[in-house]
């Protein structure tokens, strides 16, 4: 008998940076599958999801019960604030962006952990990147995604008008690569590049621009080369 899939909406949680890992195929399949971070995301019965603590130094992992209710499966800490998280395509590793207070400055670190998509447990700790201190008070990470091929990771922060690419080396270690100017030399109004999202094929990356009182918001389209490098395509005013 085919198991009926129950779902619960996660739109209220995604504002805090929730990231969902579901399953591939039928509801009784044991093979993990990453689900995108979307305001319309639903949680599959057999799925897992992460919820970074925001202003807490913790990221919690949850499993979804057969009744569609979240149950905590584990947690990891470190740093001062946990702002965003992203799974690798296989769902067995997760990257967490954390912000560390250094008095008047802040340092952004990427931490990565082993993840079990069958039990939804997180850990052990695998490593941490070393980032230069940022003098901005709003240095938190807004966007964090891993390319579907698992070889690049992309990050946006509130204090930089760029998209930072990391090359994921052996063992999933992120190494800083190129930065991409979202203002295109000042020709495009983009005060902050926030959320990032993939085309299902992985050949296009979308980023949104938050301009506050400076002007209307925008949506940017970036072409992705096979080596993970980006090429600006167009900017849409919303």
């Amino acid at each position: 008998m085919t198991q009926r899939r129950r779902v619960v909406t996660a739109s209220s949680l995604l504002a805090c940076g929730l990231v969902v890992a579901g399953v591939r195929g039928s509801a009784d399949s044991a093979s993990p599958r990453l689900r995108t971070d979307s305001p319309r995301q639903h949680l599959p019965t057999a799925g897992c999801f992460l919820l970074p603590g925001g202003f807490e130094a913790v990221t919690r992992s949850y499993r979804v019960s057969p009744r569609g209710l979240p149950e905590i499966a584990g947690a990891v800490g470190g740093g001062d604030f946990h702002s965003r998280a992203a799974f690798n395509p296989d769902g067995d590793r997760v990257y967490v962006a954390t912000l560390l207070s250094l008095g008047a400055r802040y340092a952004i670190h990427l931490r990565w952990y082993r993840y079990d998509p069958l039990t939804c447990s997180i850990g052990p700790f695998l490593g941490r990147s070393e980032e230069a201190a940022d003098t901005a008070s709003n240095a938190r990470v807004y966007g964090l995604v891993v390319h579907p091929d698992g070889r690049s990771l992309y990050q946006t922060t509130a204090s930089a008008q760029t998209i930072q690419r990391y090359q994921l080396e052996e063992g999933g270690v992120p190494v800083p690569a190129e930065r991409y100017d979202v203002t295109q030399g000042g020709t495009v109004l983009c005060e902050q590049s926030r959320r990032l999202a993939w085309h299902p094929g992985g050949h296009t990356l979308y980023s949104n621009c938050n301009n506050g009182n400076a002007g209307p918001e925008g949506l940017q389209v970036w072409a992705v080369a096979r080596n993970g490098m980006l090429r600006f395509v167009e900017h849409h005013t919303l």
Side-chain angles (χ1 to χ4, degrees):
M1 179 180 296
T2 302
Q3 180 180 352
R4 184 182 298 274
R5 186 187 297 269
R6 293 188 179 187
V7 296
V8 292
T9 60
S11 57
S12 60
L13 295 176
L14 285 169
C16 301
L18 176 141
V19 181
V20 179
V23 293
R24 181 185 291 113
S26 62
D28 55 355
S29 170
S31 180
R33 180 68 174 175
L34 176 68
R35 297 299 181 95
T36 56
D37 185 354
S38 164
R40 300 181 184 276
Q41 180 65 57
H42 292 74
L43 305 182
T45 302
C48 311
F49 66 90
L50 294 176
L51 187 60
F55 291 106
E56 293 183 273
V58 63
T59 292
R60 298 177 178 89
S61 179
Y62 294 83
R63 68 175 65 89
V64 181
S65 74
R67 298 177 58 192
L69 301 176
E71 302 172 344
I72 191 164
V76 292
D80 287 343
F81 310 119
H82 286 216
S83 54
R84 287 290 179 267
F87 287 100
N88 73 337
D90 293 330
D92 60 1
R93 185 178 292 110
V94 65
Y95 297 88
V96 178
T98 65
L99 189 65
L100 180 65
S101 175
L102 302 174
R105 301 181 302 161
Y106 294 84
I108 295 173
H109 297 286
L110 282 176
R111 300 170 183 267
W112 54 101
Y113 303 85
R114 184 67 65 192
Y115 194 82
D116 187 339
L118 299 181
T119 64
C120 306
S121 60
I122 186 171
F125 172 78
L126 297 177
R128 187 191 77 171
S129 68
E130 297 293 338
E131 297 287 335
D134 195 318
T135 58
S137 61
N138 62 340
R140 59 189 177 275
V141 172
Y142 275 134
L144 190 70
V145 294
V146 177
H147 191 275
D149 68 8
R151 295 184 295 180
S152 294
L153 180 147
Y154 304 82
Q155 172 187 286
T156 59
T157 66
S159 59
Q161 294 173 310
T162 59
I163 298 174
Q164 170 72 61
R165 185 179 80 88
Y166 293 84
Q167 185 74 30
L168 297 181
E169 301 290 352
E170 184 177 358
V173 176
V175 176
E178 314 85 26
R179 287 181 180 267
Y180 297 91
D181 178 16
V182 298
T183 72
Q184 295 299 290
T187 62
V188 173
L189 179 61
C190 189
E191 292 293 318
Q192 294 177 345
S193 181
R194 291 200 171 185
R195 297 304 179 91
L196 300 170
W198 289 113
H199 181 278
H203 52 69
T204 305
L205 179 68
Y206 303 95
S207 64
N208 76 311
C209 295
N210 176 50
N211 293 313
N213 296 325
E217 294 189 353
L219 175 67
Q220 295 189 340
V221 181
W222 300 81
V224 185
R226 290 188 176 183
N227 61 3
M229 297 181 68
L230 301 181
R231 176 177 58 83
F232 181 77
V233 177
E234 56 188 351
H235 176 95
H236 296 275
T237 299
L238 301 180

